Amino acid sequence: MVRPANMFFKVLTGEGHSLEEDRLQFSLPKGVKDGDWHNFQSELGCMLYKDPLPFYKQGHSIYVAQFDAADITTSYQEIIWVKRFRLVRQATNLDLKPFGIYRAIAQVI
């Protein structure tokens, strides 16, 4: 399976706090409602990751982020920094499969 070229992830603690930005609390998506937009005034912005595998192994929560390309301030390897983004959903099995992450799911018979 091919990894989506434009999908980036935000990794949070189980309580919804950032790992990098001084434990900032993020607005999480609820049902079909996306999280609120977050704006960052710092020069770099906020980190988003292309590959969530190392964080999944550590037991963190992984969310799909939505942002505009114009909001990217810098990039390095598989990390970007953005000035503005929101969380649209927790990463699904299909989102994570290209990274070799296979989660057990309940099967209804």
Side-chain angles (χ1 to χ4, degrees), residues 54-85:
F55 303 101
Y56 179 78
K57 290 180 177 179
Q58 296 175 27
H60 296 297
S61 298
I62 302 168
Y63 289 85
V64 175
Q66 178 185 9
F67 58 91
D68 292 324
D71 289 325
I72 298 173
T73 61
T74 191
S75 63
Y76 177 73
Q77 295 178 355
E78 293 191 336
I79 302 171
I80 61 171
W81 285 261
V82 295
K83 288 280 192 182
R84 181 175 185 262
F85 79 96

Side-chain angles (χ1 to χ4, degrees), residues 8-42:
F8 280 84
F9 302 94
K10 182 65 183 164
V11 181
L12 305 174
T13 66
E15 299 81 33
H17 293 101
S18 174
L19 301 178
E20 303 87 12
E21 292 82 26
D22 296 325
R23 305 216 15 109
L24 178 67
Q25 176 72 43
F26 284 91
S27 169
L28 302 177
K30 292 182 177 110
V32 297
K33 186 179 182 296
D34 296 337
D36 296 332
W37 286 97
H38 296 277
N39 295 298
F40 297 89
Q41 303 305 317
S42 67

